[in-house]
Amino acid sequence: MAEHIRVLLPEEKVDTRIKEIGEAISRDYAGRQVHLVCVLKGGSFFMCELAKRITVPVSLDFMSVSSYGGDTKSSGVVKIVKDLDESLKDKDVIVVEDIVDSGRTLNYLMEMLRDRGPRSLRLCTLLDKPERRVVDVHVDYTGFCIPDEFVVGYGLDYDQKYRNLPYIGVVEFDD
Ligand code: IMP
Ligand code: MG
């Protein structure tokens, strides 16, 4: 089936908002260093743009997770496909995600990372779909709250496509 993309958040709007979040983080972490943890692959575009807008010292690390299928899916248990290279011990950590949907992934991930002894741990997401929340997750920095629609671009994919779009769009199917 053919699909097309309807623009939801144009490039300028996304860039302006990322700049604002970068400024907020720079203020909140004045005099400290932030350690950004990117959740691959979706969070990568957002993290790079965000890191460029942060004026305090920044270090970066990456991890990749996948949900277990079948019965365990509803439990929200996620499998680490690629773990972080560095320890989080005593670091001021901000997890950078593309989107919080049901909240299952982040709920699990944040608990797991908290056990690694960071000095502080916060969550920053480009997008949030609050209507879809099943599990409670505390989000510290949000780019945009969006309606319950499937979105792509800025790291988000549909069947591994469209991650490279410089804006956020909704996938619509032609009939
Ligand atoms: P959660 O555990 O349900 O919050 O799932 C979050 C993950 O599902 C995100 O990190 C995305 O990879 C994926 N996801 C959720 N909503 C969308 C969407 O609208 N477009 C693309 N991926 C999505
Ligand atoms: Mg993701």
Side-chain angles (χ1 to χ4, degrees), residues 97-106 129 149-152 156-157:
E97 249 291 27
D98 50 2
I99 190 164
V100 183
D101 187 35
S102 72
R104 287 194 178 104
T105 311
L106 267 300
K129 286 194 224 174
E149 292 184 291
F150 195 83
V151 289
V152 293
L156 290 143
D157 74 299

Side-chain angles (χ1 to χ4, degrees), residues 6 8 99-102 127-134 144-152 168-172:
R6 168 169 53 85
L8 181 69
I99 190 164
V100 183
D101 187 35
S102 72
L127 303 174
D128 189 353
K129 286 194 224 174
E131 285 170 51
R132 298 261 303 168
R133 199 74 89 253
V134 174
F144 303 91
C145 285
I146 60 165
D148 180 12
E149 292 184 291
F150 195 83
V151 289
V152 293
I168 302 292
V170 176
V171 185
E172 291 184 335

Side-chain angles (χ1 to χ4, degrees), residues 35-153:
H35 188 65
L36 301 182
V37 165
C38 173
V39 184
L40 294 168
K41 300 170 186 163
S44 58
F45 288 70
F46 176 39
M47 183 171 89
C48 291
E49 291 308 308
L50 181 64
K52 283 156 62 180
R53 302 301 187 178
I54 296 174
T55 53
V56 298
V58 170
S59 53
L60 310 171
D61 207 348
F62 300 84
M63 73 186 305
S64 182
V65 299
S66 75
S67 303
Y68 280 109
D71 286 350
T72 50
K73 203 172 177 187
S74 56
S75 70
V77 175
V78 299
K79 183 173 71 168
I80 298 179
V81 177
K82 181 224 173 293
D83 206 343
L84 298 169
D85 291 335
E86 288 162 59
S87 159
L88 298 183
K89 191 106 190 86
D90 300 328
K91 293 189 173 121
D92 290 307
V93 176
I94 304 178
V95 174
V96 180
E97 249 291 27
D98 50 2
I99 190 164
V100 183
D101 187 35
S102 72
R104 287 194 178 104
T105 311
L106 267 300
N107 177 279
Y108 183 85
L109 197 63
M110 295 301 279
E111 286 307 313
M112 195 191 70
L113 296 180
R114 194 165 283 120
D115 287 345
R116 297 186 183 189
R119 183 185 304 128
S120 64
L121 180 66
R122 284 186 171 178
L123 174 60
C124 176
T125 185
L126 180 59
L127 303 174
D128 189 353
K129 286 194 224 174
E131 285 170 51
R132 298 261 303 168
R133 199 74 89 253
V134 174
V135 182
D136 201 36
V137 179
H138 179 76
V139 183
D140 299 281
Y141 303 97
T142 306
F144 303 91
C145 285
I146 60 165
D148 180 12
E149 292 184 291
F150 195 83
V151 289
V152 293

